[in-house]
Amino acid sequence: MKILVLAPGSRGDVEPAIRIASGLIADGHRATIVTHADYEQSVTATGCESVSFTVPLEPPRPPGGKAPGARGYLAHLKAYMLDHARAALAAAAGGGFGAVIANPISPYGHDIAEALDVPSAEALLQPAEPSRGYPPMIALNLDLGPVLNRGFGRLVRRFPAPVDAAVAHVRRELGLPDESRRAGARRRLSAGLPIHHGISPAVLPRPNDWPSNLSLDGFWWPVEDESWTPAVELVDFLAAGPAPVLITLGSVDTGGSSAVTDFAEATDRRVIVQGACGSNLAEAAPHRVFAADHGPHSWLLPQVAAVVHQAGAGITAACLRAQTPSVPLPQHTDQFFWARRAHELGTAVTPLTGTRVSGEGLSAGVEQVLGDSGYRQRASQIAARLDDGDSTAPLRRWAAECDG
């Protein structure tokens, strides 16, 4: 069976989709992933067909220019999602697909499945269904309590979203009746749409108020590139002294760079920096700071003392798997949720937000997490419970049923 997998978003959104598709391919299916052109090579390397789009996730910014602001960013995000939706429509026009898998920001995948008259499922990296067990992602770092969590979650669903225009465009192009994103989501949930979460119940216990069609499948870990080898300079740096602090703020730079710069310049700790500011810092302090390219976290994280990260779903899980304590620096959306969850589990310090996003705040967080061995001990306890078997198995079973 041919399966269409929609994966707009950053690297942290694409890698789980590749893991899922790899499992489907192992069962004899064919998978087409619709994602940004930046990730085409990663997609095709695992045997998947890639359909690309080109609008970048980050708004373009002239050298030395100001950030576009909230209004400009939302307008750009709307264009980004429309570009992906058009690429998804082009892929679907090729025909022959027997099922569609959508991610949190591509709900129009279900509309495409409706037009093709084939089943669809959702693959989520964060819980989205309103629940007493957690607040909606928009609540930032606030847990509002059982009653307000669920009520606020239901209210948030009524808010407009940048993807709404893409949903309307897809339904119009496919000749489907007008239906809002919210109405479509309600209809599909009532019909029992399979909603899979790439989350371990060891990290987020299954809420009691979830309907039966929602599942926690375990983390969809990145597919490792067996040909990858670390740079000799990185290996030498790791061996040259005490375990360093890793700073990695993800593939999308949304803030925190100035705090990282201030921290790296002032600390006496050895530091590895992944990201745009790493090269300049390494040049200023070559014996203490190393600028690293992207590489497998499964290799690097067990070798560092602590991780300063943006608290995306993937890096938060990777820190737990590596038994490495962390200092969360959340910037947007679900990052606040995962930062708070890591802190609740006792594996991370209080998330750095607001005025604490500074060099001094980072330094205090790093010293706190390194000065208390309890953080690493609790991370080790969580890691021992993360053996969820094949986390792609539930989606693979669903695909087999669709193909049956």
Side-chain angles (χ1 to χ4, degrees), residues 311-389:
I315 185 63
T316 302
C319 287
L320 295 172
R321 188 189 197 188
Q323 307 177 37
T324 307
S326 60
V327 179
L329 187 66
Q331 301 294 309
H332 59 79
T333 54
D334 66 321
Q335 295 175 0
F336 294 93
F337 174 86
W338 289 115
R340 185 181 64 252
R341 188 67 194 128
H343 178 58
E344 290 170 348
L345 291 170
T347 65
V349 300
T350 302
L352 304 185
T353 59
T355 58
R356 298 188 70 215
V357 182
S358 64
E360 290 182 356
L362 274 182
S363 180
V366 167
E367 294 308 314
Q368 179 181 345
V369 82
L370 294 181
D372 184 348
S373 61
Y375 289 102
R376 182 172 290 273
Q377 291 172 359
R378 287 184 288 271
S380 298
Q381 292 167 359
I382 296 294
R385 298 164 53 201
L386 286 184
D387 184 8
D388 297 324

Side-chain angles (χ1 to χ4, degrees), residues 24 35 173 210 270 309 355 369:
L24 297 171
T35 192
E173 289 293 306
W210 268 14
R270 284 163 28 92
H309 60 81
T355 58
V369 82

Side-chain angles (χ1 to χ4, degrees), residues 49 55 61 65 99 124 128 134 151 154 172 180 190 215 232 239 272 293 295 325 329 348 361 365 378 385 403:
E49 180 182 348
V55 172
R61 186 188 306 184
L124 307 184
Y134 50 79
R154 289 173 170 171
R172 186 167 58 251
S180 70
S190 298
S215 65
V232 174
I272 295 176
D293 294 329
L329 187 66
R378 287 184 288 271
R385 298 164 53 201
D403 196 28

Side-chain angles (χ1 to χ4, degrees), residues 47-74:
C48 304
E49 180 182 348
S50 176
V51 174
S52 301
F53 69 110
T54 57
V55 172
L57 184 54
E58 290 185 89
R61 186 188 306 184
K66 294 182 178 180
R71 186 184 297 273
Y73 180 75
L74 289 174

Side-chain angles (χ1 to χ4, degrees), residues 108-180:
Y108 40 81
H110 305 299
D111 301 302
I112 291 173
E114 180 182 342
L116 296 177
D117 194 24
V118 300
S120 64
E122 263 180 22
L124 307 184
L125 302 180
Q126 59 282 117
E129 179 65 18
S131 170
R132 296 168 60 88
Y134 50 79
M137 299 300 107
I138 200 173
L140 302 182
N141 61 335
L142 299 176
D143 190 324
L144 306 173
V147 175
L148 291 180
N149 278 344
R150 190 169 186 178
F152 189 29
R154 289 173 170 171
L155 177 63
V156 166
R157 283 199 159 179
R158 300 183 180 184
F159 294 177
V163 74
D164 289 347
V167 170
H169 173 80
V170 166
R171 292 192 68 84
R172 186 167 58 251
E173 289 293 306
L174 295 174
L176 297 172
D178 289 343
E179 182 180 53
S180 70

